[in-house]
């Protein structure tokens, strides 16, 4: 009876071929380790540099807390009015979303007002 699939070849490898294969595997592992070290633990020259903030819109460092809170309160009041006006032109879910944003702004404004009262109770 003839077989459609031939028998696999007899393993004729010798010890030198096995040593060569082991050396190739070792070289591959070392290359993989170097690649992973390069991408996952980069050397210092490739490390990201610390971010330096832009000084274009810098708040003066000598401003007192009362002035900062007053400015934040005015900004939040303006944002609340803008979102209220914007919500007046919308309908449906978009209007509800904008009104929710306005409510969050109003809560932040109340918190800033309370902090401002704590700084200067008069």
């Amino acid at each position: 009876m003839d077989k459609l699939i031939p028998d696999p070849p007899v393993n004729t490898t010798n010890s030198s071929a096995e040593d060569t294969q082991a050396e190739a595997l070792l070289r591959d592992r070392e290359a993989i380790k170097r690649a992973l070290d390069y991408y996952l633990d980069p050397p210092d020259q490739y490390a990201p540099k610390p971010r330096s903030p832009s000084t274009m819109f810098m708040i003066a460092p000598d401003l007192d807390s009362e002035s900062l809170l007053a400015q934040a309160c005015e900004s939040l009041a303006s944002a609340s009015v803008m979102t209220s006006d914007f919500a007046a032109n919308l309908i449906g879910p978009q209007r509800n979303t904008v009104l929710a944003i306005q409510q969050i702004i109003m809560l932040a404004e109340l918190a800033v007002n309370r902090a401002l009262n704590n700084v200067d109770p008069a």
Side-chain angles (χ1 to χ4, degrees):
M1 179 168 166
D2 292 328
K3 291 171 49 176
L4 296 176
I5 301 172
D7 290 335
V10 178
N11 189 2
T12 58
T13 60
N14 56 20
S15 63
S16 66
E18 289 175 359
D19 291 343
T20 305
Q21 186 178 9
E23 289 174 6
L25 286 174
L26 185 61
R27 282 194 309 269
D28 289 345
R29 285 184 184 156
E30 289 173 356
I32 290 170
K33 184 178 181 329
R34 281 193 312 272
L36 288 174
D37 287 345
Y38 177 80
Y39 287 107
L40 298 179
D41 187 24
D44 289 337
Q45 66 186 16
Y46 298 112
K49 296 178 181 164
R51 183 182 161 295
S52 61
S54 172
T55 57
M56 185 175 192
F57 300 107
M58 188 173 132
I59 296 175
D62 58 342
L63 283 177
D64 59 316
S65 296
E66 184 180 1
S67 299
L68 293 171
L69 286 170
Q71 181 63 38
C73 182
E74 291 176 12
S75 296
L76 287 168
S78 298
S80 179
V81 170
M82 286 189 293
T83 53
S84 178
D85 290 346
F86 183 59
N89 298 324
L90 297 174
I91 57 171
Q94 290 86 10
R95 177 183 166 92
N96 294 337
T97 302
V98 172
L99 288 174
I101 293 169
Q102 187 212 13
Q103 184 177 10
I104 293 169
I105 293 170
M106 285 179 14
L107 291 173
E109 184 182 2
L110 288 173
V112 170
N113 277 328
R114 177 58 57 96
L116 188 56
N117 288 340
N118 290 343
V119 170
D120 185 20

